[in-house]
Amino acid sequence: MTKSDAWDAIVVGSGIGGLVCAAYLAVSGRRVLVLEQHDVAGGNSHVFRRRRAYEFDVGVHYLGDCGPDGVLPAILDGLGLRDRIRYLPMDQDGFDEIVTPGVSMFMPAGWPEYRRRLKEALPTDAAGIDAFADVCEGLGEESRRALLSDRDLSVAELVARAPLTVRWGRRTLSELFDDCGLSATARTVLAAQSPNYGMGPDQATVSMHATVTDHYVRGAYYPQGGGQMLAAGLVEVVEAHGGRLLTRARAERVLVENGRVTGVGLTDGRHFAAPVVVSNADYRRTVLDLVGAEHFPRRLVAKTREAAMGLPFATLYVATDGPLPERPNANLWWYADDDIGQYYQRLATGNIDPVPFLFMSFASRKDPESPNVCPPGHSNFQLMTLCPPEYERWGVTGGPADGVRYRRDPVYRQHKERFTDAMLTAAEKVLGPFRDRVVHLEAATPLTHERYILSTGGTPFGLAAWGGAGGRPDTGTPIQGLHVVGANTRYGSGITGVAVGGIACAAQLVGRRLMHEVHSGAVLGDPGLLPERGPQWDPLAVSRGTGRRGARGLAVTGRR
């Protein structure tokens, strides 16, 4: 092993959590190596291109809390990216449209208006809605204050300053619904965005629901230029401050000796040494495969083997050669009935035909000036629905992370085609006919997601239950030098959740309250070190890393 193969820290996986952690370690003076098994960095934030005309986001559909006081902007601005990442506001009077057979309403920014609109749509549930909103708004504020605090709170301080968190945080959303006496229809409307965290009310904690809801009620936004802009900016920070990104570099083993990490070995035989390894890989695969169960306490291994995962998505990426009917700049959440409890029960039994739920995201409305999303006059949108996690649902017995080849399997293709048709049928009930104008249609199943992200069950949401309701690991582990970030940690899933986990991990490693510092206005990265962005600058090319930036096979739209 040469001197150039030794690093201060190695980050395995380049999702936003891993990149944020790597970037903060880099601006703090650490020499950081980021390893990514895919062709580009970004994890669930990456994009892909088709026909030199369309660009599709994989996981960035909207961001919450990106105003002047926002958490995600503070994290990125603290790295020197203030002038490189911009946030386009969605319709703040209604950024999420919720449609059920009995109710149709737009969710606005701001708790007072959100409450008013809920009670207007559900007048017989008005008292219960106020009680529910009191808990969620208050718990969201408590969580945010704790996140931005300049010190860790003691147990006594937590009880005094966060009583709602203490009382309700670990209890299920269904328990809060029951306590507030809410009807099935009200529960459906209030939990309509529960696919944002991949769990139903019987499984999701009040803390999970409240923090996610509060996040979006603070305002909904979309990153100008698409999700790849986030990853590209972070890669620029890492590289400008002495770090390195290697793509197509799949980790095979995190090396451990005498209870401490020593480095990482790749599937191609290369080895890199470091006293710190941060795994942004799937937590289950990290413990059981990359590190090995023999290095962890038995109880932790048992919890990890038995853990339940969040639900996965099936997605259709759609482009049409004409505009869709005029509508606000809002996502659409459509449910076939007014009982979300029954919906999740159907999911648990695999009964999703006909499709009972769709999330619809309209990229060409969110970033209409983008030269990459679609040609002028065309539409680019996505249709998504939650799926049962079992491989058998797709006619296969294993997943691509374990080497199972599935893409050309005739049974898999048959299941995929049938499900594609069912999703289109459901979407046309809401949007009206559009199939005759489709010029690009591509389906992604949970197996597709597993293939690119290597997540257990193909979910983007990580652990749903790890040793109990709401249980999730922190970023530290029992192995000296080993840390974890990403959608599986206690900081939550979604772009902001994993970014918070990334900065929290870096803060623990450098011994500073980084979140408090940057939200207070500190800029730790040096913007002057960042490279210039010329007219041909491409976030997808940047996200390959310096060594592969000019490699063949990168699709372009041809309109830059």
Side-chain angles (χ1 to χ4, degrees):
M1 188 177 298
T2 67
K3 185 177 180 181
S4 64
D5 294 327
W7 300 82
D8 296 325
I10 298 173
V11 178
V12 178
S14 67
I16 294 300
L19 288 176
V20 165
C21 184
Y24 271 98
L25 292 177
V27 303
S28 299
R30 273 64 169 179
R31 189 164 179 265
V32 184
L33 173 67
V34 181
L35 303 172
E36 171 55 49
Q37 60 95 26
H38 186 30
D39 187 53
V40 296
N44 286 310
S45 74
H46 87 269
V47 303
F48 64 93
R49 296 171 181 164
R50 293 293 184 264
R51 301 176 183 265
R52 296 182 176 271
Y54 305 103
E55 183 174 279
F56 297 99
D57 268 298
V58 170
V60 179
H61 304 107
Y62 63 152
L63 306 169
D65 191 19
C66 290
D69 191 43
V71 168
L72 182 63
I75 293 172
L76 299 177
D77 291 354
L79 293 165
L81 293 171
R82 178 181 296 276
D83 297 326
R84 297 193 170 219
I85 298 176
R86 297 180 174 87
Y87 311 92
L88 302 175
M90 295 175 63
D91 190 333
Q92 302 304 296
D93 190 50
F95 53 82
D96 273 343
E97 182 181 9
I98 299 166
V99 177
T100 77
V103 177
S104 179
M105 66 162 277
F106 283 90
M107 180 175 179
W111 278 101
E113 180 60 17
Y114 179 41
R115 286 177 186 248
R116 188 197 68 77
R117 211 165 288 185
L118 284 168
K119 290 186 286 187
E120 181 180 70
L122 301 155
T124 60
D125 286 283
I129 286 168
D130 270 331
F132 181 86
D134 285 345
V135 172
C136 291
E137 181 180 4
L139 198 154
E141 181 60 32
E142 289 176 358
S143 298
R144 200 169 192 271
R145 282 202 306 265
L147 171 66
L148 302 178
S149 174
D150 61 354
R151 61 191 177 87
D152 291 323
L153 299 179
S154 67
V155 174
E157 288 175 313
L158 179 63
V159 172
R161 297 188 186 188
L164 289 170
T165 303
V166 172
R167 180 184 176 192
W168 283 105
R170 286 294 192 96
R171 297 170 71 178
T172 67
L173 187 57
S174 288
E175 289 180 85
L176 181 57
F177 284 154
D178 291 342
D179 191 75
C180 296
L182 292 165
S183 67
T185 301
R187 296 173 189 227
T188 302
V189 173
L190 289 165
Q193 295 105 323
S194 56
N196 270 332
Y197 45 79
M199 288 174 267
D202 289 342
Q203 192 175 36
T205 62
V206 174
S207 179
M208 174 72 76
H209 179 82
T211 53
V212 171
T213 301
D214 183 69
H215 173 71
Y216 287 111
V217 172
R218 293 177 184 274
Y221 300 80
Y222 183 78
Q224 186 176 38
Q228 199 68 49
M229 296 295 292
L230 306 176
L234 291 165
V235 169
E236 287 180 326
V237 171
V238 170
E239 294 181 337
H241 290 81
R244 186 181 181 191
L245 165 68
L246 292 181
T247 52
R248 291 193 176 178
R250 182 169 176 174
E252 182 175 49
R253 195 77 172 174
V254 173
L255 306 175
V256 178
E257 293 180 12
N258 300 319
R260 62 184 303 162
V261 298
T262 60
V264 177
L266 306 190
T267 55
D268 63 10
R270 287 180 290 174
H271 291 79
F272 299 94
V276 171
V277 173
V278 179
S279 178
N280 190 197
D282 176 86
Y283 184 78
R284 182 184 175 90
R285 297 190 193 283
T286 297
V287 171
L288 303 180
D289 301 330
L290 285 178
V291 179
E294 67 274 15
H295 295 292
F296 291 94
R298 291 182 181 179
R299 185 177 178 186
L300 185 148
V301 172
K303 281 200 301 184
T304 303
R305 290 190 193 279
E306 297 165 6
M309 306 300 296
L311 291 164
F313 274 117
T315 304
L316 297 188
Y317 300 93
V318 188
T320 61
D321 62 5
L324 293 171
E326 190 63 31
R327 58 174 286 106
N329 183 7
N331 303 308
L332 200 158
W333 301 80
W334 170 84
Y335 288 86
D337 59 51
D338 288 298
D339 191 334
I340 200 163
Q342 288 189 8
Y343 163 63
Y344 279 100
Q345 288 172 14
R346 284 184 60 186
L347 266 177
T349 63
N351 179 18
I352 54 172
D353 193 4
V355 172
F357 154 74
L358 283 176
F359 170 71
M360 308 179 201
S361 174
F362 306 92
S364 47
R365 290 202 186 280
K366 294 173 184 176
D367 196 2
E369 303 302 320
S370 171
N372 299 324
V373 171
C374 62
H378 289 216
S379 294
N380 173 325
F381 59 103
Q382 293 176 36
L383 309 173
M384 304 176 68
T385 194
L386 292 175
C387 298
E390 293 79 18
Y391 291 124
E392 290 75 17
R393 176 65 181 78
W394 303 98
V396 296
T397 57
D402 296 319
V404 174
R405 296 182 178 274
Y406 69 95
R407 297 171 64 194
R408 292 185 173 84
D409 185 294
V411 177
Y412 170 77
R413 293 170 69 95
Q414 184 181 44
H415 281 277
K416 185 176 176 180
E417 290 170 7
R418 185 165 59 244
F419 201 62
T420 297
D421 184 71
M423 290 180 71
L424 290 172
T425 297
E428 289 190 315
K429 292 179 183 178
V430 186
L431 301 177
F434 61 82
R435 289 198 216 201
D436 60 344
R437 291 179 284 129
V438 170
V439 289
H440 184 80
L441 177 65
E442 188 167 348
T445 71
L447 279 84
T448 314
H449 192 89
E450 181 182 321
R451 175 182 163 213
Y452 287 106
I453 307 298
L454 301 180
S455 62
T456 298
T459 179
F461 302 114
L463 297 163
W466 184 70
R472 283 176 165 224
D474 203 340
T475 59
T477 76
I479 298 173
Q480 187 174 346
L482 177 67
H483 300 259
V484 294
V485 294
N488 292 277
T489 72
R490 70 180 183 87
Y491 298 94
S493 57
I495 296 298
T496 300
V498 298
V500 168
I503 193 173
C505 183
Q508 292 166 7
L509 286 167
V510 302
R512 295 170 61 176
R513 298 290 295 184
L514 294 176
M515 189 68 246
H516 172 74
E517 289 185 44
V518 299
H519 195 263
S520 299
V523 178
L524 308 183
D526 185 352
L529 295 177
L530 299 178
E532 292 187 9
R533 293 180 174 180
Q536 300 302 312
W537 183 85
D538 184 350
L540 207 55
V542 169
S543 299
R544 283 181 149 185
T546 302
R548 299 193 59 254
R549 199 146 289 162
R552 293 172 58 86
L554 183 68
V556 295
T557 58
R559 298 191 308 284
R560 289 191 174 276

